[in-house]
Amino acid sequence: DMHLSDMGIDELIREIHRRSPRLPLVLLTGDADVYSARQLQGAGIATTLLKPIRAERLESVLRAVVSASESSPHRVSPT
């Protein structure tokens, strides 16, 4: 979650992308007001999900994000 790291979310995202540039990121949070969707997309977040979330919904979203990333030569572009 965005509040659990010793570093800020922006720094965490940059570090993840530095290590794994093609890894699609899904933000699961209970705080919808922290960043706008545009800010998150610009930071490389494929999609954002709000807690609580049903397991079936999480699985569906993760499958879609992974599928999109596998068919793209670049990092996932959010929808």
Side-chain angles (χ1 to χ4, degrees):
D1 201 314
M2 296 169 71
H3 302 290
L4 299 179
S5 176
D6 290 340
M7 61 180 76
I9 187 68
D10 295 333
E11 186 180 352
L12 178 60
I13 292 168
R14 278 192 303 275
E15 181 61 20
I16 291 170
H17 284 308
R18 184 186 70 76
R19 292 180 186 201
S20 301
R22 293 201 56 207
L23 182 68
L25 299 179
V26 175
L27 178 65
L28 181 59
T29 183
D31 190 356
D33 296 327
V34 176
Y35 289 98
S36 72
R38 183 170 290 163
Q39 287 173 310
L40 293 170
Q41 289 174 354
I45 301 292
T47 193
T48 303
L49 302 172
L50 293 176
K51 295 187 236 178
I53 187 169
R54 294 182 38 218
E56 297 83 9
R57 171 78 174 131
L58 178 60
E59 179 182 6
S60 172
V61 169
L62 292 176
R63 287 184 186 275
V65 169
V66 168
S67 177
S69 72
E70 289 173 345
S71 65
S72 172
H74 305 289
R75 195 166 51 219
V76 173
S77 181
T79 56

